[in-house]
Amino acid sequence: MSQLDRRSMLRGIMNGAAVAMALPLLDVFLDVNGEALAATGQRIPIRFGTWVWGCGFVPERWIPTSEGSDYVMPADLEPLAAYRKQMAILSGFDVKLDGVANKPHVTGTLGLRTGVPVPNETVRAPTIDVLMGEVMGQGTRFRSIELSASGIERSYSFRGAGSPNPSETSPLALYKRIFGEGFQDPNAEVFAPDPEVMVRKSVLSAVSDDRQRLMKTLGSSDRQRMDEYFTAVRQLEQRLELQLQPPAKVENFTVPKAPGKTVVDAEIGNVMENHKIMAGLLAQALACNQTRVFNMLFSDTASNLRRSASSDTHHTLTHEEPVNPTLGYQEQSAWFAAQSMVACRDFVDALAGIKEGSGTLLDNTLLFAHSDCSIAKAHAVEGIPMMVIGGAGGRVRTGFHKAGRADSAARVGLSIQQAMGVQVEKWGAGSMDTNRTLTELVA
Amino acid sequence: MFAPDVPVTGRFERALREDGLIAVGTSHGSMSAFSVEQYDVSARSIAAAVTSKERRAQFVPCQPKSETEFDKACASKFVQQYGGQLFRRPLTVQERDRFVTIAGAAQQKLGGFYKGLEFALIGMLDSPQFLLRMDRSEPDPAHPGAVRLDGWSKAVRLSYFLTNSTPDAELLRAAATGELHSEQGLARQVERLLASPRVEMAVRAFFWDMLQFDGFNDLFKDPSIYPGYTVAAAADAQEQTLRTVVSHLVQENGDYRDLFTTRKTWVSRPLGILYRMPVGTRNGWEQAEYPASSARAGILTDVSMLALHSHPGRSSPTLRGKFMREIFLCQRVPDPPANVNFSVVQDAVNRPGSTARLRLAEHNDNPVCAGCHKLTDPLGLTLENFDGAGGFRAKENGVSMDLSGALDGEDFVGPQGLGQALQDNPGVPACLVEKMYRSAIGRDIAGPEEPVLEYLVGRFESSRFRLPQLMRAIALSKSFYAVQNQTGLVLQKTVAVAKKGDRS
Amino acid sequence: MKLADFKVVKTPVLALKAGAAGAAIIVAASLYLDHSAAAARTEPASADARQASGAPLPVADTANIFSDGQAGFVVSKIAYALGPDEKTACPRGMTGGVRGLIEAYSRTPAGKMREGEPLNAYERRLSESVHTAADGRNLCMFPAAGGPDPGWQMVQGKGLKVEGIDLDGSGAGKKAGGATCSHEEFQGTNGERGVDNQFYRVVGCTTGFQPTGQANSYETEMLTGSWGILVTVRGVDDPRNDPEIEVGFYANADPIQLSASRVPLSHATYTADGNPRYQAIARGRIVDGVLTTEPVDVRFHNVVNSMNQDRELRSARVRMTFTPDGGMEGILAGYTPVESMYDLQFGVRNSKNAKGELAPERLRLGTSMGRAGALGYSCHGAYHAMLQAADGHKDPATGRCTSLSTQYRIRMAPAFVVHGSSRSTNSSLITG
C-alpha cells in the first residue's frame, strides 16, 4: 500500500554531517572523455608519473608574482611557456616537520611523496607513485618504471621502509628492458575484459531497475532529482562499459630503434642527452601500454650535476658559492636550477610529441614535477616547488599559479590521488594531515 | 552501521545552503554524476572491508554451506539484514531477490561466496533507497481518507533529527511493530534517543549548519596582518565554538540564551596564540574560561564568529552585524547594491586616527546605504575591539574606540553588553526554534505552520530554554510527522502571516 | 622582589577545574596543569587577562610584558655574534681549508695525477689525502691525530669592534683570575672594553662564517621545530629597575609555532624540556631597562643533518632589552668547551639519531667532511685553532684553557612557558 507521497522529501543521507567539502565538477571529465570515446569508441588509459629535480630553485626566478591564470611567466619557467595552459604551478606549500629532524634533501622529498615527515629513508607510508600504481598500474607489463638521468641508481619510489625501487640509469639498458626480450607488439595483444568490471556494471543495471516504478510515484521536482540520480548511474555504467572494450589501438606504433651507447655520468651535458633519450623511450613505452606509472629522477635531490671540467656539483655550489650581491642569489647554483627547467621541458616535449586519440600522450598523463627543497643552501622544506603538468584525461585543471601560503604540501598529494581515482579522503600525518582538496586543481 | 574502522572514503559535493540552512537546501540539492561516482567509490571500499577475510566473521550472519555452490539462503539472510538497515525498512521481496541475484551472478563470475555478497552490498549502497531519504505514506486508520507517514518514515525523520544518523535496530523494531504511531511508543523512543550520546552529534551538526561554518572553506586571512590565524587555528576555532555549544546545551543542559554570556569555553594551543592565553595541554583540548577581566564572554566573542565575519585584512562591523541579525535573529539584511562606491571606506582603513565607526559614518551619508547599515552597524561596532582574526585590540589606528551600540531600542556598550542584549532579546530563542524546526523537517515552513512555531517557542520558554526540551517538543509534535501536502489538516487554525523576507 | 620572598610566593590558583578528559584547567593566566596533572607553573606573557574590561591596555606596551612579575619567551632568532668580515679582520687572507690543503698537496709529487688515473678517482684520492691522518684515521673523527692547519687564519685586525659581553671582567678590572687564559680582547660595538669572543677569533677568517656564509643556518632547524630555547623571567617588580630577579633557561620540548609567512608567533604556549640537564636558573637584575644575569651553565638541543648534538654554554649570561612586541633582544654569551664546540660545529664525532643512538658512521663522516668543504675549513685545523685560542675553564693540571668564549645574538618572542610531562603533538613522529 505504501506509495511515495507526491511531494515527499528526498534528502541525501550524508546530510548535515561534516561531509561538506568537494565540488561539483568532474562532469567536465566525463564530457571530455565521453566525447572522445563516443567518437572513437576507444579507451585511452591515463598515466601518472613524477619528475624530480634536486636542490630547489631561486624563488624570485621561479615563483610567479601573481596567482591565477594571468601570471607573468617567471624567468626560470620560460622554457615551459609553451605548456602554460597544461601546467599548474604550485608554490608555497610546506612539508611540515613538526619537529622531525630534517635530513637534507631526503626529508622534504619523502615528506612530499608520503605525507609524513621522516628523519631518514625509513618511510612511514608508500610514496604517492606506489599508491597510484595500485589503482592504475594493474594489468601492464611493468607496474612502474623508474629512471634516473644522472647516473645514480636511486629513486624516491618506496613501497615501504627499506628498499626504494631502483632506477634505470642508461638509455640502452632502458631500451633493452622495455623493447628487448619479452616485448610484444601492443596491437597484437589479446584482450580479456575484466570480470569484476562486468559484475560492477550488472550491479548498476540492477540498481536502475527501479527507475520506472520510482519515477511514477514522484512529484515533478522530486522526479527531476531522481532522474538526475539515474542519469548519473547511467553515466557510470557507460564508463564501465568502456572498460569492457579492448584498449585503443596504438596508432602508428613502430618499435623504436635502440639508442647508441652514451656516457652515463653527472656531467650536465651528458645528463641532458641521456635524459632526453630516456624520456623519448619512456613516452613510447607509455604509448604502447608497457606501464602507466613512472618516476624520473632528473638530478638527485642533493643534485650531483656538474659542469664539464669542474669539480663543483650543483649541490656543493648551493652550500659553498657566495651569494652574488648584485643578483641577490647564488649565480652558478641558479644556472643549474634554470637548466633543470629546460630538462623538464624536454621531458614534457617527449610526452606531447606522441599523438593519442584526438590529443597527445601529455593530455592523458598527470606529471607531478617537484624538487626536494625550496632554497637549497638552507635545506628549506617550506615552499618546495611543485608543478602538475598534463591533462590526466581531463581529470585535472591546469593553467594557473596557486600560492600555498604555508599550507600543507600533502594537499597536493591528496588532490592528485583523488583526481586519479585513488580512494582517499585524507592524507598525511601530524600537521601535514589534510582532507582539503585543492579545488583549483581537482574540480 | 559497520565498525568505525571500516573506512568510508570519498568526497561529496558542497552542500547547497538555502535560507540560512543547508538542512533545508539539501531537499533541493541535485545529484551529479560526480557525487554518484563518489558514492560508488565509498560503496566499494565499505563492501570490500565488510566482506574481507578479517571481518566477514563479524559482519556476515551465516556461513555458506558449500565452497562452490551458491548458498542462496545465507545470501538472503545477509541481504535482508543489511538491506533493512541501509534502506531503513524491510526490503520488498523484489528488492531482496534483486540483490540475492546479484550475489549469485557475482559469485559465478568472480568465484567465492563473499565476492558475491560484496557486490550485493555495493548494489544496496548505490541504490537510491539508501542514498536518498524517501518518505512513504499509508492510509491513516484514525482519519479515514487521510494518509500518514508509515512507521519507518517516521523512524527516519526522528533518527536524523535526534542523532544525525540512520535509525538503529531498536527504532526499526519500533517502526515495524507500529509503536511509533502511538503516543507512548513514540515518547519511549524519543526519550531513549535523547538520552543517547549521539544527540551531541545531532546538536553539533545543527549548529555547524546554523553558524554557517562551511564558510571557513573559503575564508582567507592575510598572514602579514594576522600571523596567528594559521590553518590549525582556523580548524580549531570552529571546534572551539561547537564544543562550547555542545557542552553547554547538552552536557550541562544549560539555558540557550547563556551561550551569549558564558565565560566557559574550550581552548587548544593554536587558539591560545590568538587569545594570548596559555594552554597547558600539548595535544588536544582543555576547558577554560575567558578571564573575568577580559573583553570576552559568550560565543559571539569566539574567534570563529569574529574571524568568519570579517575581511581578510580588517574587521567588519557590517558583516558582523549582518550575521548576528541573520543567524541569531532570523532577520534578513539585504546585500548592498552593486554600484556602491566603497573608496571612502577603503582609503581610510589604515589612516592614523581612523576607526570603523568614523569610516562607516562617512559612508552612511549616502541614504541608499544608511537603511541597511542602521540594522547592522550598531551591533557590529560593539565588537570592534576584536580585529579581523578575532584577536583583541585596544585601539584602531592609534585611537580608542567607541563601542556603544543598540538592539531593538536597548543601548549597550561593548561585546559584553552585546552578549547581554542578545541574551535578553526574545527574538533570539524564537529564531532558534524556527531554525531547529526547519532543520528537523528539512524544508521551509508553510504558512499554516506558524502556530506550531508559537507552540514550540512556548515550550522552549517554559523549559527555561533547554535545547533537549525543544528537541523533545519537536520530536513529539504531530506536525513533525505531517505529510506535507496535508499540513493544513494537521495544524490548528489561526495563522500568523509568515514574513518570508524576514527569514534567513 | 627579594629572592627570599620569591621562593615562598606561590602563584595563586584562581580557579582550577577538571575538564572532560581529566585535564586540569586553569582560569586566568596563572597556573596550569596538563594531562599528567603534574604540578605546573607558567610564566605568562601579556594577556588580555590582565586588562580591565572597558579600558584594556595595549598589549604591545612593554610595561605590560609582565604578569604577576613573570614573563615567558621563546627564542625566535639566534646567530653567532661575530665581528667584522674579512676585509678588516683578515689582513693575511682567509683560512685555506680543505681546498687549500688539496691545492697544496696537488703541487707535491705525490699529489699529481697519475698516468691513466680517471679524474674522479684522482679527486677522491686528493680528498682522502687531506682528510686522513698519518695513522690512517679520519681527521674529522680524530682531529687530534693531525696537527694544526698551516693555512688557518685567526682574526688579526686591530681595533675591531665586536658585539658581545665582557665575560671575564678583565675589561672592567680583571677579576676572574686563574680560571681564564690571557687573550686579546675586542672593543664592544658600543665602545665598551673587554669583549671576549674567541670563537670569532677562530672562525672570523673562514668563508662560511662571513656575513654571507652559512654557518648560522643552524637556525633553520629551530624554525622547523627540531629544537628550541625557552626563557622565563620571574620576580620582577619594576621592569625598568629591579635588583633581584630570576631568569630560567630551558630547552623547548615543543616545536616552535610559525605564521603562514613563517615568522615565529607571539603568545604560543610551550612546554619546557623535563630533563634537568636542559634547565638552568640564574639570578639577574634589571638596570635602566637592561636585563643581565649571573653566570650559569646552560645546555640546549641542536640538530644537524637529522643528528642531535647539544649546544652547551658554560658560565652563560645574557644582556637583554625589552622590545615593543613584548619580546627581548640582546646577547647570550658564555664559554663553550672546545670538545663540545668541535662536535657541534665542526666534526660530528658523537651525534645521536632520533632514538638517542650514535648516528651511523657514514652520516657522521659525510656531514663532517661535507661541512668542512662547505664552510671552508679543515677539521683538524679547526680543532687546533680552538685549542690555541681557548680562554676559559683553565685545567689546573695542564694550565691550559679548555673552553672558548662564545657570543650569540638572540631575539625572543613573548610566549607562555609551562612545565609538564604530557605527550606532544609530534611525539609519534619524533620517536621510532
Side-chain angles (χ1 to χ4, degrees), chain C residues 359-380:
Chain C
E361 188 182 22
R362 205 170 138 255
L363 185 59
R364 283 182 289 124
L365 275 173
T367 299
S368 303
M369 298 194 289
R371 192 154 62 171
L375 297 183
Y377 59 81
S378 61
C379 287
H380 55 292

Side-chain angles (χ1 to χ4, degrees), chain A residues 108-432:
Chain A
T109 310
L110 294 177
L112 202 70
R113 293 172 73 102
T114 64
V116 189
V118 281
N120 44 42
E121 276 96 351
T122 53
V123 293
R124 302 272 188 104
T127 52
I128 191 165
D129 57 297
V130 171
L131 297 172
M132 297 281 196
E134 277 166 9
V135 173
M136 50 189 288
Q138 312 296 334
T140 54
R141 191 166 147 227
F142 301 101
R143 187 203 59 83
S144 74
I145 291 180
E146 277 68 53
L147 305 163
S148 162
S150 62
I152 289 186
E153 270 185 24
R154 178 178 293 186
S155 84
Y156 293 91
S157 169
F158 286 75
R159 182 160 291 278
S163 52
N165 297 312
S167 279
E168 205 68 74
T169 58
S170 127
L172 190 57
L174 174 68
Y175 176 84
K176 285 181 181 153
R177 186 156 162 231
I178 299 172
F179 299 108
E181 202 178 330
F183 178 77
Q184 285 190 332
D185 184 336
N187 293 336
E189 193 183 335
V190 181
F191 174 76
D194 181 347
E196 186 145 334
V197 174
M198 295 167 75
V199 173
R200 280 181 60 199
K201 185 170 169 291
S202 69
V203 167
L204 291 178
S205 320
V207 163
S208 303
D209 277 356
D210 252 358
R211 181 186 175 117
Q212 290 308 320
R213 199 183 57 77
L214 271 173
M215 295 293 273
K216 261 197 294 216
T217 62
L218 291 170
S220 64
S221 74
D222 286 341
R223 202 181 298 156
Q224 188 193 332
R225 210 159 329 126
M226 190 63 90
D227 197 44
E228 284 173 1
Y229 164 81
F230 282 116
T231 306
V233 171
R234 180 74 200 126
Q235 280 176 312
L236 206 53
E237 266 187 89
Q238 283 167 345
R239 283 181 46 208
L240 294 177
E241 169 62 33
L242 208 64
Q243 289 185 40
L244 297 173
Q245 303 302 316
K249 291 281 179 206
V250 180
E251 294 169 65
N252 311 318
F253 182 79
T254 48
V255 178
K257 286 205 178 66
K261 202 166 158 38
T262 55
V263 180
V264 175
D265 66 8
E267 191 277 311
I268 190 159
N270 294 334
V271 172
M272 295 292 261
E273 190 191 340
N274 286 330
H275 172 256
K276 216 168 179 168
I277 299 170
M278 287 202 272
L281 291 172
L282 176 70
Q284 296 271 27
L286 291 168
C288 65
N289 296 320
Q290 300 301 297
T291 187
R292 292 195 187 123
V293 180
F294 59 90
N295 294 289
M296 168 62 94
L297 185 64
F298 168 67
S299 54
D300 196 12
T301 54
S303 169
N304 52 336
L305 299 179
R306 55 197 279 170
R307 287 203 239 205
S308 172
S310 164
S311 62
D312 294 321
T313 67
H314 180 194
H315 174 236
T316 58
L317 281 169
T318 63
H319 293 302
E320 296 172 26
E321 182 189 4
V323 168
N324 179 316
T326 321
L327 296 172
Y329 51 82
Q330 298 166 312
E331 197 175 1
Q332 291 192 67
S333 304
W335 182 83
F336 281 102
Q339 286 301 300
S340 301
M341 292 302 100
V342 173
C344 188
R345 194 261 329 273
D346 288 347
F347 191 85
V348 178
D349 277 348
L351 299 179
I354 289 186
K355 197 174 159 319
E356 207 170 62
S358 59
T360 69
L361 175 58
L362 181 65
D363 296 327
N364 296 307
T365 300
L366 191 157
L367 181 65
F368 178 39
H370 67 84
S371 192
D372 63 295
C373 60
S374 52
I375 300 173
K377 71 173 175 176
H379 300 131
V381 295
E382 298 79 30
I384 298 177
M386 294 183 269
M387 290 180 282
V388 168
I389 308 175
R395 289 171 179 241
V396 290
R397 280 196 288 235
T398 49
F400 61 88
H401 163 230
K402 162 90 178 164
R405 300 191 172 84
D407 219 336
S408 162
R411 290 189 69 191
V412 178
L414 173 76
S415 304
I416 57 183
Q417 286 180 72
Q418 290 175 331
M420 301 301 269
V422 180
Q423 296 174 23
V424 56
E425 189 182 20
K426 58 200 280 296
W427 198 56
S431 302
M432 290 282 279

Side-chain angles (χ1 to χ4, degrees), chain B residues 269 276 278-279 282 287 293, chain C residues 25 32 49 51 59 254 271 422:
Chain B
R269 285 221 170 151
R276 304 190 171 191
V279 180
R282 297 171 81 186
Q287 209 165 21
S293 57
Chain C
I25 292 78
Y32 305 86
Q51 291 146 6
V59 289
D254 292 314
T271 308
S422 63

Side-chain angles (χ1 to χ4, degrees), chain A residues 16-17, chain B residues 158-165 193-194 196-209 246 250 436 439 467 471:
Chain B
L158 192 55
S159 178
Y160 275 93
F161 174 45
L162 294 181
T163 68
N164 196 41
S165 182
L193 294 176
L194 278 173
S196 94
R198 287 215 55 106
V199 168
E200 291 182 12
M201 302 309 294
V203 171
R204 172 179 275 267
F206 168 74
F207 276 92
W208 181 88
D209 186 353
V246 169
V250 183
M436 180 149 255
S439 171
L467 191 73
M471 294 170 83

Side-chain angles (χ1 to χ4, degrees), chain A residues 4-5 9-11 13 20-23 25 200 206 210 225 228-229 235 239 405 418 423 425 437, chain B residues 8 11-12 14 27 29-31 33 37 40-41 45 88 98 126 128-129 131 133 135 160 220 483:
Chain A
L4 286 173
D5 181 79
M9 172 181 64
L10 295 174
R11 200 172 181 193
I13 192 155
M21 294 316 289
L23 321 116
L25 190 99
R200 280 181 60 199
D210 252 358
R225 210 159 329 126
E228 284 173 1
Y229 164 81
Q235 280 176 312
R239 283 181 46 208
R405 300 191 172 84
Q418 290 175 331
Q423 296 174 23
E425 189 182 20
T437 306
Chain B
V8 178
R11 302 171 305 130
F12 303 98
R14 185 169 285 209
S27 64
S30 68
M31 302 246 340
E37 183 185 332
D40 181 55
V41 164
S45 69
R88 305 166 287 263
R98 183 186 312 140
D126 276 346
Q129 287 86 351
L131 293 174
R133 279 170 52 179
D135 288 343
Y160 275 93
F220 168 70
V483 177

Side-chain angles (χ1 to χ4, degrees), chain C residues 172-253:
Chain C
K174 221 167 186 64
K175 64 178 177 193
T180 61
C181 299
S182 71
H183 56 279
E184 202 179 329
E185 297 182 323
F186 295 104
Q187 199 180 12
T189 43
N190 300 323
E192 66 272 40
R193 293 176 50 216
V195 171
D196 304 293
N197 195 343
Q198 288 298 89
F199 182 63
Y200 166 59
R201 174 134 351 250
V202 169
V203 299
C205 295
T206 301
T207 50
F209 292 82
Q210 300 306 303
T212 53
Q214 295 188 40
N216 277 323
S217 63
Y218 59 87
E219 188 192 71
T220 303
E221 273 77 12
M222 179 183 85
L223 295 177
T224 58
S226 291
W227 59 274
I229 299 175
L230 303 173
V231 172
T232 61
V233 180
R234 292 159 63 90
V236 177
D237 302 317
D238 174 356
R240 290 289 304 167
N241 284 289
D242 193 318
E244 221 162 353
I245 60 168
E246 189 190 84
V247 178
F249 300 90
Y250 307 92
N252 190 354

